[in-house]
Amino acid sequence: MRIRPTLSWTPTGELAPGTTDLGPVTEALSAGGVLVLSGAGISTESGIPDYRGEGGSLSRHTPMTYQDFTSGARARRRYWARSHLGWRTFGRARPNTGHRAVAAFARHGLLSGVITQNVDGLHQAAGSEDVVELHGSLDRVVCLSCGAFSPRRELAGRLEEANAGFAPVAAAINPDGDADLTDEQVKDFRVVPCALCGGILKPDVVFFGESVPPQRVEHCRALVREASSLLVLGSSLTVMSGLRFVRQAAEAGQPVLIINRDPTRGDRHAAARIALPLGAALTTVAEELGVTIRD
């Protein structure tokens, strides 16, 4: 399934208002078997902005599409210049209370799994294991010609050598690791090819307009089938790649609970949407359950 460049959605009909009652979340976790689906909102407290919340990056930034990236060298130069600078900041981000709470719930056997729409690796850095990265990870790079994978840090070193002195000031860093730079700032940036075959390198992430690998989708569907409930953390569910799992759970009669300050595209399928900041909300739930969140 392709992720279309859907940048916003307009609610149709009446949506139930958000609540501040965390009781349903505490109850679901105490029963165990909860599958977590996280979005960009869980990483905002780590300094990474989300796409659509207040001050979200889509108000000033259009994410790269697969079609643009493969259309020509100019688009790829712009992407890699911005992503290379963003990587320096992105790589310094650390897990926040939300990530650590998810890891703590897993350690206590309350979760059946974690699916994340994020590409920042912060769930793993917080100690979560077997995280399904629905949209891939910025930590890896893939060659579009030979299919070889390589570490992002390796590419970062090659780009540093090819662009000595490249240190423009970015207006902002976006959830996909892209820094806001002007065309003038990136015009002299040099892109490096695959070290094995000379092909085009791309981050191992699913761009808008690109397909999520079918086997990854099916793995996520299996996780939903095996879960007792689905807990959505910090996702607007605007794109179908995450919304389909909410619909699947709801159609199967599994409770769907959403913690997100703003309304989401999945609200009509949810038993409740809790409109609270994630870190504070999950800390409260952990205290209720006697779960210790490690620093």
Side-chain angles (χ1 to χ4, degrees), residues 29-284:
L29 283 166
S30 65
V34 176
L35 176 62
V36 166
L37 171 64
S38 71
I42 199 171
S43 293
T44 56
E45 292 176 35
S46 293
I48 300 174
D50 64 11
Y51 284 111
R52 300 172 179 86
E54 183 179 352
S57 68
L58 289 183
S59 62
R60 63 177 189 280
H61 162 71
T62 300
M64 175 63 68
T65 68
Y66 182 78
Q67 291 75 18
D68 286 342
F69 187 83
T70 56
S71 67
R74 181 177 179 181
R76 290 191 291 276
R77 180 176 67 244
R78 175 179 176 274
Y79 174 81
W80 278 119
R82 293 164 60 113
S83 184
H84 179 56
L85 183 64
W87 173 252
R88 297 173 181 172
T89 301
F90 212 71
R92 291 194 293 268
R94 293 294 177 263
N96 62 54
T97 303
H99 300 109
R100 295 196 298 272
V102 170
F105 296 146
R107 283 197 304 273
H108 282 74
L110 307 182
L111 304 184
S112 63
V114 177
I115 301 170
T116 186
Q117 296 173 282
N118 300 338
V119 296
D120 53 35
L122 292 179
H123 276 299
Q124 295 92 321
S128 290
E129 300 178 354
D130 300 322
V131 177
V132 179
E133 295 174 311
L134 188 61
H135 298 156
S137 174
L138 284 175
D139 268 343
R140 300 182 297 271
V141 178
V142 61
C143 175
L144 295 183
S145 298
C146 69
F149 290 90
S150 57
R152 177 64 180 265
R153 64 179 179 275
E154 179 181 293
L155 174 63
R158 295 177 61 207
L159 288 174
E160 290 283 356
E161 292 179 8
N163 297 278
F166 179 74
V169 176
I173 305 296
N174 301 303
D176 52 4
D178 188 23
D180 282 344
L181 297 175
T182 66
D183 290 343
E184 179 63 25
Q185 288 175 302
V186 307
K187 65 181 178 62
D188 295 323
F189 190 83
R190 293 182 58 199
V191 177
V192 298
C194 172
L196 296 178
C197 74
I200 295 172
L201 294 175
K202 172 185 171 293
D204 186 26
V205 300
V206 179
F207 284 151
F208 281 87
E210 190 176 6
S211 297
V212 177
Q215 65 273 22
R216 192 179 302 165
V217 174
E218 182 49 41
H219 178 41
C220 291
R221 288 197 181 280
L223 290 175
V224 174
R225 287 193 294 270
E226 296 163 4
S228 60
S229 58
L230 180 63
L231 177 59
V232 180
L233 303 177
S235 176
S236 68
L237 299 169
T238 296
V239 295
M240 190 57 68
S241 64
L243 179 62
R244 58 185 155 189
F245 304 126
V246 168
R247 289 179 172 176
Q248 177 188 345
E251 289 170 2
Q254 297 157 295
V256 175
L257 300 167
I258 300 173
I259 305 180
N260 199 67
R261 287 215 246 187
D262 299 318
T264 82
R265 197 177 174 189
D267 283 6
R268 68 183 70 259
H269 305 289
R273 176 177 60 85
I274 295 87
L276 290 172
L278 267 173
L282 294 181
T283 297
T284 298

